[in-house]
Amino acid sequence: MFFCTTSLLIASAFLSTALCRFDWSTNAGKTRLRGNSFGIGYVNATYDYVVSARNKSKHATLLTKCTQIIGGGTAGLTIASRLAAANTSVAVIEAGSFYEFDGGNASQVPGYGSTFLTFDELAKNYQLVDWDLITANQTGSLNWWADIVGDESYTWDSFLPWLKKSTVFSHPNREKISNDVNISYDPAVWSSEGGPLQISYPNYRQPFDSYLEMAFTKSGLSEIDGLNSGILSGFSAGTYVIDPQAEVRSSSEASFLQEALDTTDLKVYTNTLAHKVLFDGNKVATGVLVETDGGIYTLSAKKEVVVSAGVFHSPQVLMLSGVGPASQLQAHGIPVVSDLHGVGNNMIDQTFIFTVHELNLTTNSGVLTNPDLHAAAVDTYLNEQNGPLTGVGGDIIGFEKIPDRTAFSAAALAELDSLPSDWVEAEYLGLATGANPTNQPLENNYMFITSAIFAPFSRGYVNITSADARDPPIINPNSLSSETESELAVQALKRMRQFAAASGVQIAEVEPGPQVVTDAQILEWIRNNSVNGYHAACSCELALDPILITSFERKELPLMRTGRMGKISDPDAVIDSQARVHGVTGLRVVDASAFAILPPGHPMSTIYALAEKIADQMLSS
């Protein structure tokens, strides 16, 4: 309540950051009307390319988020802006609107990123933004991707230029952060010609970060030169999608879309639902059937249709269009255009675990709930672009293989050994924001120590419930169904306890608490408290009310894919290495659901890079 009341007073301070003047602008004396950038509802129109829109359920909470891609998300806006810059006509269909309008400053101020955060993409969520870290894949995981799809352009060395292309990297502002703080990074993985997405470090170092660095070092982790050079094993300060000029969020909308609106003829259809992709008699995608405020009309594509609806909704769009498992389509009366078994299946996500600790240290855990602390933080943020609101609550991140290999069963070791040799198994991060117990909302000395588990062995699925795009899909992440993932989760929690003790500032463990001791007790607590981490088959956080099977129980599922990339000989592959859907022409899927694998780390950078790569291939062809 304190946050909401106070933040209303400063909402207008950020509204103009990304949008500036919204009605018109001039360039070299020529007037540009902003209204020309938006499509007119109910009117059929034809473009070279149509980027397919977000689906929403009848009961959806409609959000536009950075790590959830549809037409107007990370991949969709990247592709659309690159195509439009090449003087092609492009339409973007987006079921949401501008997050600055819908979410106020909570969608722009980094420190407000956890205001409504559930850390669970499957729970109802009123937050309009996913504050994601930028990490690059490991060399081994990308080389494995290349082997799976039979395309050497996905190896680390070949993929790195695409990782560089989207981003403008800003060096740490040591004048504001402090010259005494060491931040290591590899300048070779950034390009001076990249952009327009802003990548930087927060101007404020959280008090617990130095103690976490010490704990990591005592526990066997070594400091590395950043998290973007193809090596994740170790710890370093994280980079974030933050514009360093004002310490506000950078996103595909704030960077790619705003640039395209100023410089190209890109058309955006907001608050518009995509019903299905349309095909002619030769199985060529010809456009998208859409709906705006109850009006149904067609956006036709002379060249291609791109589906960028995210890991949950890209499969739904494909199935509603007749592309997917024939038995599922026929059960809902949908004519089969291409019988692809892998659509909607074999979804992979990362399980997140949050432990809570009381510390004898100011942590900023009460900044959003204590009105006095919040007022001081707002003043520092607005006037100095500094303080705890410039970050998400913790900036030091560690990755490792679990060091005690004797803790695993023989079967788990065999599965883990099947992964690339540099594959890290767990990520660790300290987060202050939101860590206070419910009965201590005003205190300022609590901390999350969190972990993400990287074990791609639990497989879930997405399925449709009807032939109506308004009806939500069935989503079953099937988390912790793999015994290997379960064993990893137990060991990761033990490591978090070691880090807390090694920090030297722990007073008590609040969650799970000292009563949770044995492996069986730890696993039971994890099953009851762990969440999905916005990284399903990638970082596609979706805030709606799907028909959800919350599955943290052991279940057997067929090993299939949601829509992954693969060779034509792979019966579970949905697209080829250029993201073209098998069995049809003129249709691509570019987002998290298209990944051949879900690598360790945070997938945002990979989504941008994949979009850049496919956009270049589309223009080249």
Side-chain angles (χ1 to χ4, degrees):
M1 179 176 65
F2 299 118
F3 161 72
C4 293
T5 300
T6 309
S7 67
L8 288 175
L9 302 178
I10 64 170
S12 62
F14 298 99
L15 184 59
S16 62
T17 301
L19 300 179
C20 300
R21 186 176 187 115
F22 200 77
D23 52 352
W24 59 270
S25 62
T26 59
N27 185 10
K30 182 179 180 180
T31 299
R32 289 183 61 87
L33 299 178
R34 185 62 81 202
N36 286 344
S37 299
F38 296 92
I40 300 173
Y42 320 117
V43 178
N44 296 341
T46 300
Y47 300 88
D48 290 330
Y49 300 98
V50 176
V51 182
S52 180
R54 173 190 308 269
N55 268 18
K56 61 180 180 178
S57 76
K58 292 177 179 176
H59 308 289
T61 300
L62 185 57
L63 308 183
T64 304
K65 300 195 178 185
C66 178
T67 57
Q68 182 189 326
I69 347 185
I70 314 271
T74 305
L77 291 181
T78 302
I79 288 181
S81 66
R82 297 304 191 196
L83 295 176
N87 295 317
T88 66
S89 59
V90 182
V92 174
I93 314 164
E94 167 59 43
S97 182
F98 288 82
Y99 59 76
E100 297 93 339
F101 297 161
D102 293 344
N105 62 12
S107 65
Q108 293 184 290
V109 181
Y112 291 166
S114 63
T115 306
F116 303 108
L117 202 57
T118 65
F119 289 97
D120 187 353
E121 76 253 334
L122 299 171
K124 189 175 182 67
N125 186 347
Y126 298 95
Q127 177 68 15
L128 300 186
V129 55
D130 172 21
W131 290 93
D132 211 343
L133 293 151
I134 288 287
T135 66
N137 294 317
Q138 293 173 283
T139 302
S141 62
L142 277 176
N143 292 346
W144 185 25
W145 184 323
D147 289 341
I148 291 171
V149 303
D151 187 339
E152 290 299 303
S153 67
Y154 284 91
T155 61
W156 167 260
D157 290 337
S158 298
F159 201 66
L160 181 58
W162 306 116
L163 289 164
K164 293 180 177 182
K165 186 173 182 180
S166 296
T167 58
V168 178
F169 173 69
S170 295
H171 303 285
N173 187 338
R174 298 190 184 280
E175 181 179 344
K176 292 190 174 183
I177 300 173
S178 172
N179 288 321
D180 297 331
V181 173
N182 180 50
I183 298 178
S184 300
Y185 58 91
D186 180 1
V189 301
W190 306 105
S191 171
S192 60
E193 300 177 354
L197 184 72
Q198 298 290 326
I199 305 296
S200 66
Y201 298 90
N203 283 340
Y204 176 81
R205 179 57 67 89
Q206 291 287 345
F208 182 64
D209 282 350
S210 61
Y211 294 93
L212 186 59
E213 287 179 308
M214 179 177 64
F216 281 156
T217 300
K218 288 181 179 179
S219 304
L221 277 70
S222 300
E223 186 172 10
I224 57 177
D225 290 334
L227 305 173
N228 304 285
S229 60
I231 300 171
L232 286 180
S233 184
F235 70 87
S236 185
T239 44
Y240 294 82
V241 285
I242 295 175
D243 188 327
Q245 286 191 307
E247 291 292 286
V248 298
R249 177 194 182 204
S250 186
S251 69
S252 58
E253 182 264 299
S255 56
F256 281 97
L257 179 59
Q258 294 297 331
E259 182 178 81
L261 293 179
D262 285 337
T263 60
T264 75
D265 293 326
L266 177 71
K267 289 287 190 295
V268 181
Y269 290 78
T270 59
N271 300 306
T272 298
L273 172 68
H275 278 268
K276 62 180 177 180
V277 178
L278 303 173
F279 297 93
D280 66 15
N282 295 317
K283 299 185 179 182
V284 177
T286 61
V288 183
L289 186 68
V290 300
E291 176 183 350
T292 305
D293 292 332
I296 305 292
Y297 56 104
T298 298
L299 297 179
S300 299
K302 292 187 289 186
K303 293 186 177 180
E304 295 188 60
V305 173
V306 179
V307 176
S308 295
V311 68
F312 297 147
H313 283 291
S314 281
Q316 183 188 31
V317 170
L318 290 181
M319 286 187 275
L320 293 173
S321 307
V323 178
S327 59
Q328 294 180 20
L329 305 184
Q330 291 164 350
H332 297 289
I334 300 172
V336 178
V337 178
S338 180
D339 181 10
L340 294 178
H341 186 256
V343 175
N345 292 304
N346 215 26
M347 181 178 71
I348 305 173
D349 199 357
Q350 296 165 356
T351 298
F352 276 44
I353 306 167
F354 292 77
T355 61
V356 181
H357 305 267
E358 183 183 7
L359 307 181
N360 60 356
L361 176 76
T362 296
T363 64
N364 292 314
S365 64
V367 163
L368 298 188
T369 52
N370 186 311
D372 293 332
L373 296 175
H374 181 240
V378 167
D379 183 71
T380 303
Y381 179 76
L382 292 177
N383 292 295
E384 303 175 28
Q385 298 77 53
N386 209 328
L389 295 183
T390 66
V392 298
D395 304 313
I396 299 302
I397 307 156
F399 295 86
E400 69 170 357
K401 285 183 180 289
I402 300 297
D404 183 8
R405 310 311 281 180
T406 64
F408 295 110
S409 66
L413 279 176
E415 280 200 310
L416 294 173
D417 288 344
S418 70
L419 300 171
S421 59
D422 64 351
W423 187 281
V424 291
E425 297 163 350
E427 171 189 358
Y428 309 106
L429 169 67
L431 287 173
T433 308
N436 283 1
T438 55
N439 63 346
Q440 298 285 340
L442 304 184
E443 298 304 316
N444 206 32
N445 65 318
Y446 288 88
M447 199 78 189
F448 285 126
I449 298 182
T450 74
S451 180
I453 308 302
F454 307 133
F457 304 114
S458 296
R459 306 299 175 90
Y461 63 84
V462 176
N463 197 357
I464 56 175
T465 57
S466 77
D468 191 337
R470 302 176 191 86
D471 291 334
I474 295 173
I475 302 169
N476 183 359
N478 209 36
S479 302
L480 296 172
S481 60
S482 157
E483 294 294 350
T484 299
E485 184 186 19
S486 298
E487 291 183 32
L488 266 179
V490 170
Q491 298 308 314
L493 191 143
K494 292 179 179 179
R495 287 292 277 169
M496 287 189 279
R497 284 176 159 174
Q498 292 173 14
F499 300 144
S503 71
V505 292
Q506 182 190 40
I507 295 175
E509 177 183 285
V510 180
E511 292 288 346
Q515 74 281 1
V516 178
V517 179
T518 68
D519 286 5
Q521 290 172 331
I522 292 172
L523 182 57
E524 181 182 9
W525 184 87
I526 290 172
R527 288 191 185 280
N528 292 331
N529 294 277
S530 60
V531 296
N532 297 93
Y534 296 102
H535 297 172
C538 198
S539 128
C540 298
E541 195 266 327
L542 186 67
L544 50 74
D545 291 327
I547 295 175
L548 169 64
I549 301 174
T550 52
S551 177
F552 288 98
E553 299 301 324
R554 176 70 177 170
K555 295 182 180 179
E556 297 298 330
L557 278 182
L559 297 186
M560 302 172 286
R561 292 282 183 182
T562 58
R564 73 170 173 93
M565 186 180 293
K567 301 174 184 177
I568 189 65
S569 58
D570 182 347
D572 290 330
V574 175
I575 61 174
D576 66 11
S577 64
Q578 294 187 42
R580 297 173 298 197
V581 177
H582 295 315
V584 298
T585 303
L587 178 62
R588 301 189 197 230
V589 177
V590 186
D591 57 30
S593 68
F595 281 21
I597 59 172
L598 177 57
H602 295 244
M604 182 189 289
S605 61
T606 309
I607 298 171
Y608 277 111
L610 179 63
E612 294 278 20
K613 186 178 190 298
I614 300 304
D616 183 76
Q617 290 174 333
M618 292 174 70
L619 292 171
S620 298
S621 62

